[in-house]
PDB file of all heavy atoms in Angstrom:
ATOM      1  N   ALA E  22     472.727  18.015 188.764  1.00  0.00           N
ATOM      2  CA  ALA E  22     472.923  18.765 187.534  1.00  0.00           C
ATOM      3  C   ALA E  22     471.957  19.918 187.367  1.00  0.00           C
ATOM      4  O   ALA E  22     472.229  20.843 186.626  1.00  0.00           O
ATOM      5  CB  ALA E  22     472.795  17.817 186.340  1.00  0.00           C
ATOM      6  N   ALA E  23     470.820  19.860 188.045  1.00  0.00           N
ATOM      7  CA  ALA E  23     469.808  20.880 187.773  1.00  0.00           C
ATOM      8  C   ALA E  23     469.106  21.288 189.052  1.00  0.00           C
ATOM      9  O   ALA E  23     469.077  20.556 190.028  1.00  0.00           O
ATOM     10  CB  ALA E  23     468.793  20.339 186.769  1.00  0.00           C
ATOM     11  N   GLY E  24     468.523  22.487 189.023  1.00  0.00           N
ATOM     12  CA  GLY E  24     467.813  22.982 190.187  1.00  0.00           C
ATOM     13  C   GLY E  24     466.679  22.071 190.607  1.00  0.00           C
ATOM     14  O   GLY E  24     466.366  21.951 191.784  1.00  0.00           O
ATOM     15  N   SER E  25     466.041  21.402 189.633  1.00  0.00           N
ATOM     16  CA  SER E  25     464.910  20.538 189.955  1.00  0.00           C
ATOM     17  C   SER E  25     465.317  19.362 190.818  1.00  0.00           C
ATOM     18  O   SER E  25     464.497  18.772 191.516  1.00  0.00           O
ATOM     19  CB  SER E  25     464.259  20.026 188.666  1.00  0.00           C
ATOM     20  OG  SER E  25     465.197  19.284 187.907  1.00  0.00           O
ATOM     21  N   SER E  26     466.593  18.953 190.780  1.00  0.00           N
ATOM     22  CA  SER E  26     467.048  17.815 191.571  1.00  0.00           C
ATOM     23  C   SER E  26     467.619  18.228 192.915  1.00  0.00           C
ATOM     24  O   SER E  26     467.926  17.383 193.739  1.00  0.00           O
ATOM     25  CB  SER E  26     468.106  17.024 190.799  1.00  0.00           C
ATOM     26  OG  SER E  26     469.222  17.850 190.504  1.00  0.00           O
ATOM     27  N   LEU E  27     467.729  19.537 193.150  1.00  0.00           N
ATOM     28  CA  LEU E  27     468.294  20.003 194.411  1.00  0.00           C
ATOM     29  C   LEU E  27     467.524  19.516 195.632  1.00  0.00           C
ATOM     30  O   LEU E  27     468.143  19.021 196.588  1.00  0.00           O
ATOM     31  CB  LEU E  27     468.384  21.531 194.418  1.00  0.00           C
ATOM     32  CG  LEU E  27     469.640  22.144 193.811  1.00  0.00           C
ATOM     33  CD1 LEU E  27     469.465  23.643 193.680  1.00  0.00           C
ATOM     34  CD2 LEU E  27     470.853  21.828 194.661  1.00  0.00           C
ATOM     35  N   PRO E  28     466.196  19.646 195.698  1.00  0.00           N
ATOM     36  CA  PRO E  28     465.490  19.215 196.901  1.00  0.00           C
ATOM     37  C   PRO E  28     465.748  17.763 197.273  1.00  0.00           C
ATOM     38  O   PRO E  28     465.802  17.427 198.454  1.00  0.00           O
ATOM     39  CB  PRO E  28     464.016  19.452 196.553  1.00  0.00           C
ATOM     40  CG  PRO E  28     464.052  20.555 195.540  1.00  0.00           C
ATOM     41  CD  PRO E  28     465.291  20.281 194.734  1.00  0.00           C
ATOM     42  N   LYS E  29     465.904  16.887 196.293  1.00  0.00           N
ATOM     43  CA  LYS E  29     466.147  15.474 196.577  1.00  0.00           C
ATOM     44  C   LYS E  29     467.533  15.258 197.177  1.00  0.00           C
ATOM     45  O   LYS E  29     467.760  14.289 197.898  1.00  0.00           O
ATOM     46  CB  LYS E  29     466.017  14.659 195.286  1.00  0.00           C
ATOM     47  CG  LYS E  29     464.633  14.724 194.657  1.00  0.00           C
ATOM     48  CD  LYS E  29     464.594  13.946 193.356  1.00  0.00           C
ATOM     49  CE  LYS E  29     463.231  14.068 192.687  1.00  0.00           C
ATOM     50  NZ  LYS E  29     463.192  13.343 191.389  1.00  0.00           N
ATOM     51  N   HIS E  30     468.447  16.163 196.881  1.00  0.00           N
ATOM     52  CA  HIS E  30     469.830  15.997 197.301  1.00  0.00           C
ATOM     53  C   HIS E  30     470.118  16.645 198.648  1.00  0.00           C
ATOM     54  O   HIS E  30     471.018  16.209 199.376  1.00  0.00           O
ATOM     55  CB  HIS E  30     470.750  16.612 196.236  1.00  0.00           C
ATOM     56  CG  HIS E  30     472.203  16.607 196.606  1.00  0.00           C
ATOM     57  ND1 HIS E  30     472.970  15.462 196.611  1.00  0.00           N
ATOM     58  CD2 HIS E  30     473.027  17.611 197.011  1.00  0.00           C
ATOM     59  CE1 HIS E  30     474.205  15.768 196.979  1.00  0.00           C
ATOM     60  NE2 HIS E  30     474.268  17.059 197.232  1.00  0.00           N
ATOM     61  N   ILE E  31     469.370  17.663 199.011  1.00  0.00           N
ATOM     62  CA  ILE E  31     469.696  18.527 200.144  1.00  0.00           C
ATOM     63  C   ILE E  31     469.936  17.761 201.430  1.00  0.00           C
ATOM     64  O   ILE E  31     470.930  17.989 202.128  1.00  0.00           O
ATOM     65  CB  ILE E  31     468.585  19.582 200.337  1.00  0.00           C
ATOM     66  CG1 ILE E  31     468.770  20.704 199.302  1.00  0.00           C
ATOM     67  CG2 ILE E  31     468.573  20.157 201.752  1.00  0.00           C
ATOM     68  CD1 ILE E  31     467.576  21.623 199.188  1.00  0.00           C
ATOM     69  N   PHE E  32     469.049  16.837 201.788  1.00  0.00           N
ATOM     70  CA  PHE E  32     469.141  16.190 203.093  1.00  0.00           C
ATOM     71  C   PHE E  32     470.146  15.048 203.117  1.00  0.00           C
ATOM     72  O   PHE E  32     470.338  14.415 204.154  1.00  0.00           O
ATOM     73  CB  PHE E  32     467.756  15.722 203.541  1.00  0.00           C
ATOM     74  CG  PHE E  32     466.783  16.870 203.671  1.00  0.00           C
ATOM     75  CD1 PHE E  32     465.737  17.015 202.774  1.00  0.00           C
ATOM     76  CD2 PHE E  32     466.949  17.835 204.650  1.00  0.00           C
ATOM     77  CE1 PHE E  32     464.848  18.080 202.880  1.00  0.00           C
ATOM     78  CE2 PHE E  32     466.072  18.906 204.760  1.00  0.00           C
ATOM     79  CZ  PHE E  32     465.023  19.031 203.866  1.00  0.00           C
ATOM     80  N   ASN E  33     470.775  14.794 201.982  1.00  0.00           N
ATOM     81  CA  ASN E  33     471.862  13.816 201.914  1.00  0.00           C
ATOM     82  C   ASN E  33     473.204  14.490 201.665  1.00  0.00           C
ATOM     83  O   ASN E  33     474.195  13.824 201.369  1.00  0.00           O
ATOM     84  CB  ASN E  33     471.593  12.794 200.805  1.00  0.00           C
ATOM     85  CG  ASN E  33     470.351  11.964 201.075  1.00  0.00           C
ATOM     86  OD1 ASN E  33     470.143  11.499 202.191  1.00  0.00           O
ATOM     87  ND2 ASN E  33     469.522  11.782 200.061  1.00  0.00           N
ATOM     88  N   VAL E  34     473.252  15.813 201.778  1.00  0.00           N
ATOM     89  CA  VAL E  34     474.484  16.533 201.480  1.00  0.00           C
ATOM     90  C   VAL E  34     475.570  16.143 202.477  1.00  0.00           C
ATOM     91  O   VAL E  34     475.306  15.878 203.658  1.00  0.00           O
ATOM     92  CB  VAL E  34     474.225  18.062 201.503  1.00  0.00           C
ATOM     93  CG1 VAL E  34     473.971  18.562 202.917  1.00  0.00           C
ATOM     94  CG2 VAL E  34     475.348  18.828 200.836  1.00  0.00           C
ATOM     95  N   THR E  35     476.797  16.074 202.001  1.00  0.00           N
ATOM     96  CA  THR E  35     477.947  15.750 202.844  1.00  0.00           C
ATOM     97  C   THR E  35     478.850  16.976 202.938  1.00  0.00           C
ATOM     98  O   THR E  35     478.738  17.905 202.118  1.00  0.00           O
ATOM     99  CB  THR E  35     478.745  14.580 202.255  1.00  0.00           C
ATOM    100  OG1 THR E  35     479.373  15.018 201.024  1.00  0.00           O
ATOM    101  CG2 THR E  35     477.841  13.384 201.964  1.00  0.00           C
ATOM    102  N   PRO E  36     479.751  16.999 203.908  1.00  0.00           N
ATOM    103  CA  PRO E  36     480.685  18.129 203.985  1.00  0.00           C
ATOM    104  C   PRO E  36     481.466  18.334 202.700  1.00  0.00           C
ATOM    105  O   PRO E  36     481.792  19.474 202.336  1.00  0.00           O
ATOM    106  CB  PRO E  36     481.606  17.735 205.147  1.00  0.00           C
ATOM    107  CG  PRO E  36     480.770  16.855 206.015  1.00  0.00           C
ATOM    108  CD  PRO E  36     479.907  16.076 205.068  1.00  0.00           C
ATOM    109  N   ASN E  37     481.737  17.257 201.984  1.00  0.00           N
ATOM    110  CA  ASN E  37     482.533  17.365 200.755  1.00  0.00           C
ATOM    111  C   ASN E  37     481.775  18.038 199.617  1.00  0.00           C
ATOM    112  O   ASN E  37     482.392  18.664 198.744  1.00  0.00           O
ATOM    113  CB  ASN E  37     483.001  15.975 200.300  1.00  0.00           C
ATOM    114  CG  ASN E  37     484.049  15.387 201.217  1.00  0.00           C
ATOM    115  OD1 ASN E  37     484.768  16.133 201.895  1.00  0.00           O
ATOM    116  ND2 ASN E  37     484.138  14.073 201.255  1.00  0.00           N
ATOM    117  N   ASP E  38     480.442  17.901 199.599  1.00  0.00           N
ATOM    118  CA  ASP E  38     479.697  18.516 198.490  1.00  0.00           C
ATOM    119  C   ASP E  38     478.794  19.659 198.949  1.00  0.00           C
ATOM    120  O   ASP E  38     477.982  20.149 198.171  1.00  0.00           O
ATOM    121  CB  ASP E  38     478.899  17.466 197.699  1.00  0.00           C
ATOM    122  CG  ASP E  38     477.856  16.737 198.528  1.00  0.00           C
ATOM    123  OD1 ASP E  38     477.537  17.188 199.640  1.00  0.00           O
ATOM    124  OD2 ASP E  38     477.352  15.701 198.049  1.00  0.00           O
ATOM    125  N   PHE E  39     478.935  20.106 200.201  1.00  0.00           N
ATOM    126  CA  PHE E  39     478.087  21.190 200.691  1.00  0.00           C
ATOM    127  C   PHE E  39     478.310  22.463 199.882  1.00  0.00           C
ATOM    128  O   PHE E  39     477.342  23.115 199.466  1.00  0.00           O
ATOM    129  CB  PHE E  39     478.342  21.466 202.173  1.00  0.00           C
ATOM    130  CG  PHE E  39     477.432  22.527 202.740  1.00  0.00           C
ATOM    131  CD1 PHE E  39     476.220  22.185 203.315  1.00  0.00           C
ATOM    132  CD2 PHE E  39     477.769  23.871 202.684  1.00  0.00           C
ATOM    133  CE1 PHE E  39     475.358  23.157 203.821  1.00  0.00           C
ATOM    134  CE2 PHE E  39     476.928  24.861 203.183  1.00  0.00           C
ATOM    135  CZ  PHE E  39     475.715  24.495 203.754  1.00  0.00           C
ATOM    136  N   VAL E  40     479.544  22.838 199.670  1.00  0.00           N
ATOM    137  CA  VAL E  40     479.828  24.099 198.971  1.00  0.00           C
ATOM    138  C   VAL E  40     479.284  24.052 197.545  1.00  0.00           C
ATOM    139  O   VAL E  40     478.631  25.000 197.081  1.00  0.00           O
ATOM    140  CB  VAL E  40     481.340  24.399 198.966  1.00  0.00           C
ATOM    141  CG1 VAL E  40     481.635  25.617 198.090  1.00  0.00           C
ATOM    142  CG2 VAL E  40     481.842  24.654 200.383  1.00  0.00           C
ATOM    143  N   ALA E  41     479.516  22.944 196.839  1.00  0.00           N
ATOM    144  CA  ALA E  41     479.025  22.827 195.464  1.00  0.00           C
ATOM    145  C   ALA E  41     477.496  22.885 195.421  1.00  0.00           C
ATOM    146  O   ALA E  41     476.903  23.513 194.527  1.00  0.00           O
ATOM    147  CB  ALA E  41     479.521  21.528 194.836  1.00  0.00           C
ATOM    148  N   THR E  42     476.839  22.260 196.403  1.00  0.00           N
ATOM    149  CA  THR E  42     475.381  22.296 196.458  1.00  0.00           C
ATOM    150  C   THR E  42     474.883  23.709 196.747  1.00  0.00           C
ATOM    151  O   THR E  42     473.895  24.170 196.155  1.00  0.00           O
ATOM    152  CB  THR E  42     474.864  21.325 197.534  1.00  0.00           C
ATOM    153  OG1 THR E  42     475.378  20.016 197.285  1.00  0.00           O
ATOM    154  CG2 THR E  42     473.339  21.273 197.531  1.00  0.00           C
ATOM    155  N   ALA E  43     475.576  24.401 197.646  1.00  0.00           N
ATOM    156  CA  ALA E  43     475.200  25.782 197.954  1.00  0.00           C
ATOM    157  C   ALA E  43     475.350  26.682 196.731  1.00  0.00           C
ATOM    158  O   ALA E  43     474.531  27.591 196.510  1.00  0.00           O
ATOM    159  CB  ALA E  43     476.051  26.308 199.113  1.00  0.00           C
ATOM    160  N   MET E  44     476.377  26.447 195.929  1.00  0.00           N
ATOM    161  CA  MET E  44     476.568  27.238 194.713  1.00  0.00           C
ATOM    162  C   MET E  44     475.435  26.983 193.710  1.00  0.00           C
ATOM    163  O   MET E  44     474.960  27.906 193.034  1.00  0.00           O
ATOM    164  CB  MET E  44     477.922  26.919 194.076  1.00  0.00           C
ATOM    165  CG  MET E  44     479.110  27.322 194.913  1.00  0.00           C
ATOM    166  SD  MET E  44     479.164  29.108 195.236  1.00  0.00           S
ATOM    167  CE  MET E  44     480.668  29.230 196.200  1.00  0.00           C
ATOM    168  N   LEU E  45     475.007  25.728 193.610  1.00  0.00           N
ATOM    169  CA  LEU E  45     473.870  25.417 192.743  1.00  0.00           C
ATOM    170  C   LEU E  45     472.599  26.091 193.261  1.00  0.00           C
ATOM    171  O   LEU E  45     471.790  26.611 192.478  1.00  0.00           O
ATOM    172  CB  LEU E  45     473.660  23.904 192.677  1.00  0.00           C
ATOM    173  CG  LEU E  45     474.658  23.105 191.836  1.00  0.00           C
ATOM    174  CD1 LEU E  45     474.428  21.614 192.035  1.00  0.00           C
ATOM    175  CD2 LEU E  45     474.545  23.464 190.359  1.00  0.00           C
ATOM    176  N   ALA E  46     472.437  26.085 194.576  1.00  0.00           N
ATOM    177  CA  ALA E  46     471.270  26.752 195.168  1.00  0.00           C
ATOM    178  C   ALA E  46     471.309  28.250 194.884  1.00  0.00           C
ATOM    179  O   ALA E  46     470.268  28.866 194.616  1.00  0.00           O
ATOM    180  CB  ALA E  46     471.234  26.494 196.674  1.00  0.00           C
ATOM    181  N   TYR E  47     472.492  28.836 194.947  1.00  0.00           N
ATOM    182  CA  TYR E  47     472.636  30.266 194.658  1.00  0.00           C
ATOM    183  C   TYR E  47     472.207  30.577 193.221  1.00  0.00           C
ATOM    184  O   TYR E  47     471.419  31.501 192.982  1.00  0.00           O
ATOM    185  CB  TYR E  47     474.084  30.688 194.888  1.00  0.00           C
ATOM    186  CG  TYR E  47     474.388  32.101 194.449  1.00  0.00           C
ATOM    187  CD1 TYR E  47     473.835  33.191 195.111  1.00  0.00           C
ATOM    188  CD2 TYR E  47     475.237  32.336 193.368  1.00  0.00           C
ATOM    189  CE1 TYR E  47     474.110  34.486 194.708  1.00  0.00           C
ATOM    190  CE2 TYR E  47     475.525  33.628 192.958  1.00  0.00           C
ATOM    191  CZ  TYR E  47     474.959  34.702 193.633  1.00  0.00           C
ATOM    192  OH  TYR E  47     475.229  35.984 193.223  1.00  0.00           O
ATOM    193  N   GLN E  48     472.695  29.801 192.275  1.00  0.00           N
ATOM    194  CA  GLN E  48     472.329  30.030 190.876  1.00  0.00           C
ATOM    195  C   GLN E  48     470.831  29.790 190.656  1.00  0.00           C
ATOM    196  O   GLN E  48     470.162  30.536 189.930  1.00  0.00           O
ATOM    197  CB  GLN E  48     473.150  29.108 189.968  1.00  0.00           C
ATOM    198  CG  GLN E  48     474.641  29.412 189.970  1.00  0.00           C
ATOM    199  CD  GLN E  48     474.946  30.825 189.475  1.00  0.00           C
ATOM    200  OE1 GLN E  48     474.207  31.384 188.653  1.00  0.00           O
ATOM    201  NE2 GLN E  48     476.033  31.408 189.976  1.00  0.00           N
ATOM    202  N   HIS E  49     470.303  28.768 191.303  1.00  0.00           N
ATOM    203  CA  HIS E  49     468.881  28.459 191.178  1.00  0.00           C
ATOM    204  C   HIS E  49     468.029  29.623 191.691  1.00  0.00           C
ATOM    205  O   HIS E  49     467.042  30.020 191.058  1.00  0.00           O
ATOM    206  CB  HIS E  49     468.567  27.183 191.953  1.00  0.00           C
ATOM    207  CG  HIS E  49     467.116  26.837 192.007  1.00  0.00           C
ATOM    208  ND1 HIS E  49     466.436  26.264 190.949  1.00  0.00           N
ATOM    209  CD2 HIS E  49     466.194  26.981 192.996  1.00  0.00           C
ATOM    210  CE1 HIS E  49     465.177  26.082 191.274  1.00  0.00           C
ATOM    211  NE2 HIS E  49     464.996  26.506 192.507  1.00  0.00           N
ATOM    212  N   GLN E  50     468.414  30.197 192.824  1.00  0.00           N
ATOM    213  CA  GLN E  50     467.600  31.260 193.408  1.00  0.00           C
ATOM    214  C   GLN E  50     467.813  32.597 192.707  1.00  0.00           C
ATOM    215  O   GLN E  50     466.888  33.410 192.652  1.00  0.00           O
ATOM    216  CB  GLN E  50     467.865  31.342 194.906  1.00  0.00           C
ATOM    217  CG  GLN E  50     467.358  30.074 195.592  1.00  0.00           C
ATOM    218  CD  GLN E  50     467.363  30.139 197.095  1.00  0.00           C
ATOM    219  OE1 GLN E  50     468.233  30.740 197.705  1.00  0.00           O
ATOM    220  NE2 GLN E  50     466.377  29.492 197.704  1.00  0.00           N
ATOM    221  N   LEU E  51     468.983  32.812 192.143  1.00  0.00           N
ATOM    222  CA  LEU E  51     469.150  33.996 191.297  1.00  0.00           C
ATOM    223  C   LEU E  51     468.180  33.959 190.126  1.00  0.00           C
ATOM    224  O   LEU E  51     467.620  34.982 189.724  1.00  0.00           O
ATOM    225  CB  LEU E  51     470.582  34.070 190.761  1.00  0.00           C
ATOM    226  CG  LEU E  51     471.636  34.855 191.539  1.00  0.00           C
ATOM    227  CD1 LEU E  51     472.896  34.981 190.698  1.00  0.00           C
ATOM    228  CD2 LEU E  51     471.143  36.248 191.938  1.00  0.00           C
ATOM    229  N   GLN E  52     467.967  32.761 189.600  1.00  0.00           N
ATOM    230  CA  GLN E  52     467.105  32.611 188.434  1.00  0.00           C
ATOM    231  C   GLN E  52     465.624  32.659 188.791  1.00  0.00           C
ATOM    232  O   GLN E  52     464.819  33.241 188.064  1.00  0.00           O
ATOM    233  CB  GLN E  52     467.415  31.288 187.727  1.00  0.00           C
ATOM    234  CG  GLN E  52     466.573  31.042 186.478  1.00  0.00           C
ATOM    235  CD  GLN E  52     466.934  29.738 185.794  1.00  0.00           C
ATOM    236  OE1 GLN E  52     467.885  29.055 186.192  1.00  0.00           O
ATOM    237  NE2 GLN E  52     466.178  29.383 184.768  1.00  0.00           N
ATOM    238  N   HIS E  53     465.249  32.090 189.941  1.00  0.00           N
ATOM    239  CA  HIS E  53     463.828  31.875 190.233  1.00  0.00           C
ATOM    240  C   HIS E  53     463.269  32.759 191.341  1.00  0.00           C
ATOM    241  O   HIS E  53     462.046  32.785 191.523  1.00  0.00           O
ATOM    242  CB  HIS E  53     463.598  30.406 190.600  1.00  0.00           C
ATOM    243  CG  HIS E  53     463.896  29.462 189.485  1.00  0.00           C
ATOM    244  ND1 HIS E  53     463.041  29.285 188.415  1.00  0.00           N
ATOM    245  CD2 HIS E  53     464.964  28.645 189.253  1.00  0.00           C
ATOM    246  CE1 HIS E  53     463.554  28.392 187.578  1.00  0.00           C
ATOM    247  NE2 HIS E  53     464.725  27.993 188.065  1.00  0.00           N
ATOM    248  N   ASN E  54     464.113  33.453 192.082  1.00  0.00           N
ATOM    249  CA  ASN E  54     463.639  34.295 193.181  1.00  0.00           C
ATOM    250  C   ASN E  54     463.828  35.758 192.798  1.00  0.00           C
ATOM    251  O   ASN E  54     464.936  36.305 192.883  1.00  0.00           O
ATOM    252  CB  ASN E  54     464.404  33.965 194.473  1.00  0.00           C
ATOM    253  CG  ASN E  54     463.846  34.687 195.685  1.00  0.00           C
ATOM    254  OD1 ASN E  54     463.380  35.819 195.591  1.00  0.00           O
ATOM    255  ND2 ASN E  54     463.922  34.039 196.839  1.00  0.00           N
ATOM    256  N   ALA E  55     462.752  36.409 192.374  1.00  0.00           N
ATOM    257  CA  ALA E  55     462.849  37.786 191.885  1.00  0.00           C
ATOM    258  C   ALA E  55     463.308  38.757 192.972  1.00  0.00           C
ATOM    259  O   ALA E  55     464.065  39.696 192.694  1.00  0.00           O
ATOM    260  CB  ALA E  55     461.488  38.231 191.340  1.00  0.00           C
ATOM    261  N   VAL E  56     462.875  38.544 194.204  1.00  0.00           N
ATOM    262  CA  VAL E  56     463.272  39.435 195.301  1.00  0.00           C
ATOM    263  C   VAL E  56     464.763  39.320 195.566  1.00  0.00           C
ATOM    264  O   VAL E  56     465.465  40.328 195.699  1.00  0.00           O
ATOM    265  CB  VAL E  56     462.465  39.110 196.576  1.00  0.00           C
ATOM    266  CG1 VAL E  56     462.997  39.901 197.766  1.00  0.00           C
ATOM    267  CG2 VAL E  56     460.992  39.403 196.355  1.00  0.00           C
ATOM    268  N   TYR E  57     465.248  38.096 195.635  1.00  0.00           N
ATOM    269  CA  TYR E  57     466.677  37.882 195.883  1.00  0.00           C
ATOM    270  C   TYR E  57     467.513  38.412 194.721  1.00  0.00           C
ATOM    271  O   TYR E  57     468.548  39.063 194.925  1.00  0.00           O
ATOM    272  CB  TYR E  57     466.952  36.399 196.108  1.00  0.00           C
ATOM    273  CG  TYR E  57     468.390  36.089 196.457  1.00  0.00           C
ATOM    274  CD1 TYR E  57     468.989  36.609 197.598  1.00  0.00           C
ATOM    275  CD2 TYR E  57     469.158  35.253 195.633  1.00  0.00           C
ATOM    276  CE1 TYR E  57     470.303  36.312 197.927  1.00  0.00           C
ATOM    277  CE2 TYR E  57     470.471  34.943 195.954  1.00  0.00           C
ATOM    278  CZ  TYR E  57     471.030  35.480 197.094  1.00  0.00           C
ATOM    279  OH  TYR E  57     472.344  35.181 197.401  1.00  0.00           O
ATOM    280  N   ARG E  58     467.068  38.143 193.498  1.00  0.00           N
ATOM    281  CA  ARG E  58     467.807  38.619 192.327  1.00  0.00           C
ATOM    282  C   ARG E  58     467.899  40.144 192.326  1.00  0.00           C
ATOM    283  O   ARG E  58     468.972  40.720 192.088  1.00  0.00           O
ATOM    284  CB  ARG E  58     467.137  38.125 191.047  1.00  0.00           C
ATOM    285  CG  ARG E  58     467.854  38.582 189.771  1.00  0.00           C
ATOM    286  CD  ARG E  58     467.283  37.897 188.541  1.00  0.00           C
ATOM    287  NE  ARG E  58     465.872  38.218 188.327  1.00  0.00           N
ATOM    288  CZ  ARG E  58     464.873  37.336 188.515  1.00  0.00           C
ATOM    289  NH1 ARG E  58     465.114  36.116 188.925  1.00  0.00           N
ATOM    290  NH2 ARG E  58     463.619  37.698 188.278  1.00  0.00           N
ATOM    291  N   GLN E  59     466.792  40.811 192.624  1.00  0.00           N
ATOM    292  CA  GLN E  59     466.803  42.271 192.641  1.00  0.00           C
ATOM    293  C   GLN E  59     467.722  42.796 193.742  1.00  0.00           C
ATOM    294  O   GLN E  59     468.426  43.795 193.552  1.00  0.00           O
ATOM    295  CB  GLN E  59     465.384  42.800 192.842  1.00  0.00           C
ATOM    296  CG  GLN E  59     465.288  44.314 192.777  1.00  0.00           C
ATOM    297  CD  GLN E  59     463.864  44.821 192.864  1.00  0.00           C
ATOM    298  OE1 GLN E  59     462.929  44.047 192.991  1.00  0.00           O
ATOM    299  NE2 GLN E  59     463.697  46.129 192.801  1.00  0.00           N
ATOM    300  N   TYR E  60     467.730  42.112 194.879  1.00  0.00           N
ATOM    301  CA  TYR E  60     468.616  42.530 195.977  1.00  0.00           C
ATOM    302  C   TYR E  60     470.080  42.403 195.547  1.00  0.00           C
ATOM    303  O   TYR E  60     470.892  43.320 195.753  1.00  0.00           O
ATOM    304  CB  TYR E  60     468.360  41.685 197.218  1.00  0.00           C
ATOM    305  CG  TYR E  60     469.349  41.954 198.329  1.00  0.00           C
ATOM    306  CD1 TYR E  60     469.296  43.132 199.071  1.00  0.00           C
ATOM    307  CD2 TYR E  60     470.357  41.032 198.628  1.00  0.00           C
ATOM    308  CE1 TYR E  60     470.215  43.385 200.082  1.00  0.00           C
ATOM    309  CE2 TYR E  60     471.279  41.274 199.633  1.00  0.00           C
ATOM    310  CZ  TYR E  60     471.202  42.456 200.354  1.00  0.00           C
ATOM    311  OH  TYR E  60     472.119  42.714 201.341  1.00  0.00           O
ATOM    312  N   VAL E  61     470.423  41.281 194.922  1.00  0.00           N
ATOM    313  CA  VAL E  61     471.812  41.059 194.481  1.00  0.00           C
ATOM    314  C   VAL E  61     472.201  42.097 193.424  1.00  0.00           C
ATOM    315  O   VAL E  61     473.332  42.609 193.426  1.00  0.00           O
ATOM    316  CB  VAL E  61     471.974  39.624 193.941  1.00  0.00           C
ATOM    317  CG1 VAL E  61     473.356  39.431 193.313  1.00  0.00           C
ATOM    318  CG2 VAL E  61     471.766  38.604 195.063  1.00  0.00           C
ATOM    319  N   GLN E  62     471.283  42.425 192.548  1.00  0.00           N
ATOM    320  CA  GLN E  62     471.549  43.458 191.552  1.00  0.00           C
ATOM    321  C   GLN E  62     471.733  44.825 192.209  1.00  0.00           C
ATOM    322  O   GLN E  62     472.631  45.592 191.826  1.00  0.00           O
ATOM    323  CB  GLN E  62     470.412  43.511 190.535  1.00  0.00           C
ATOM    324  CG  GLN E  62     470.338  42.302 189.618  1.00  0.00           C
ATOM    325  CD  GLN E  62     469.080  42.290 188.770  1.00  0.00           C
ATOM    326  OE1 GLN E  62     468.060  42.884 189.136  1.00  0.00           O
ATOM    327  NE2 GLN E  62     469.133  41.591 187.632  1.00  0.00           N
TER     328      GLN E  62
END
């Protein structure tokens, strides 16, 4: 549900939830990675 729980989930990711996890990672890094956010903008 939240970016804080992503690291715990990453190494147990399955093919069925890989895309959803990647989308959460994308939103998390847009919010917390200033370099990446500026590049996307």
Side-chain angles (χ1 to χ4, degrees):
S25 60
S26 60
L27 273 170
K29 298 178 183 178
H30 175 73
I31 281 167
F32 300 110
N33 296 315
V34 70
T35 68
N37 290 335
D38 61 14
F39 183 91
V40 173
T42 305
M44 295 299 181
L45 286 172
Y47 172 68
Q48 294 299 330
H49 174 77
Q50 294 189 325
L51 268 190
Q52 181 179 355
H53 296 284
N54 187 326
V56 172
Y57 184 61
R58 180 171 62 251
Q59 184 175 1
Y60 173 73
V61 173
Q62 291 171 335

